[in-house]
C-alpha cells in the first residue's frame, strides 16, 4: 500500500462522524437525540425512493422516519424514531462541493434530519447548525 492510496470512508466512519455531531449538541438536545436510532447505508432502499418520488438515489443524503416530538401522543404506536444517513450521496455531495470537511457535511445532514424529530423551525436549526455562516 502506498501513501497515495485513498479509500472512501466506510459506513462505520460516517456513523462515527454523525455520533460525534450528536455528542456536540447542546445538553438539552444531546440526551433526547440519543433516543433516535441512527442507521447508515450506502443508499436509500428502492422502495423508499419510489415512495418519495425520487428517481436518483444520489438525491437523498438523509431521512427522518418517525413522529416529531411536537406531534407525539401517548396513543402513537411504539417503536423508535430513526435517522438514516446515506453514505454514497453524502460522499458525492462532499466531493462536488469541495469546500467543506466531510465531518461538517455529515453533521449538517444529521442535524437537519434531527430537526424533523424535534420539530425545529429554520431559526432553531440555525442556532444549532451554523452551516450557512
Amino acid at each position: 500500500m502506498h501513501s497515495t492510496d485513498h479509500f472512501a470512508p466506510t459506513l462505520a466512519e460516517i456513523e462515527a462522524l454523525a455520533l460525534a455531531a450528536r455528542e456536540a449538541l447542546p445538553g438539552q438536545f444531546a440526551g433526547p437525540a440519543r433516543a433516535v436510532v441512527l442507521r447508515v447505508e450506502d443508499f436509500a432502499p428502492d422502495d423508499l425512493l419510489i415512495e418519495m418520488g425520487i428517481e436518483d438515489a444520489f438525491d437523498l443524503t438523509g431521512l427522518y422516519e418517525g413522529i416529531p416530538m411536537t406531534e407525539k401522543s401517548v396513543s402513537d404506536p411504539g417503536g423508535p424514531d430513526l435517522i438514516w444517513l446515506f453514505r454514497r450521496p453524502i460522499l458525492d455531495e462532499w466531493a462536488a462541493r469541495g469546500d467543506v470537511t466531510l465531518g461538517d457535511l455529515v453533521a449538517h445532514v444529521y442535524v437537519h434530519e434531527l430537526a424533523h424529530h424535534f420539530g425545529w423551525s429554520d431559526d432553531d436549526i440555525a442556532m444549532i447548525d451554523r452551516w450557512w455562516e
Side-chain angles (χ1 to χ4, degrees):
M1 183 162 130
H2 299 90
S3 63
T4 57
D5 291 347
H6 297 283
F7 299 96
T10 65
L11 295 171
E13 289 167 325
I14 298 294
E15 180 179 10
L17 292 171
L19 294 175
R22 182 179 70 191
E23 294 310 309
L25 291 169
Q28 71 267 32
F29 301 118
R34 288 185 197 101
V36 180
V37 174
L38 174 64
R39 292 209 38 204
V40 181
E41 299 290 340
D42 277 323
F43 290 102
D46 288 340
D47 59 331
L48 182 64
L49 293 170
I50 291 167
E51 178 183 323
M52 295 182 71
I54 297 174
E55 293 182 21
D56 185 348
F58 280 98
D59 289 342
L60 188 61
T61 56
L63 180 70
Y64 168 71
E65 282 189 287
I67 300 170
M69 291 178 66
T70 55
E71 299 174 18
K72 282 189 190 268
S73 74
V74 293
S75 63
D76 288 324
D81 291 330
L82 176 66
I83 288 176
W84 295 85
L85 297 181
F86 304 113
R87 184 182 78 95
R88 295 283 309 277
I90 289 171
L91 293 177
D92 196 57
E93 181 176 336
W94 175 59
R97 283 180 175 275
D99 64 350
V100 297
T101 67
L102 182 58
D104 285 348
L105 181 58
V106 170
H108 171 69
V109 173
Y110 176 74
V111 168
H112 178 86
E113 298 310 329
L114 194 59
H116 294 295
H117 172 69
F118 285 118
W120 290 342
S121 69
D122 288 342
D123 289 339
D124 295 332
I125 295 170
M127 288 190 316
I128 302 295
D129 181 10
R130 308 310 255 176
W131 180 257
W132 305 116
E133 289 183 350

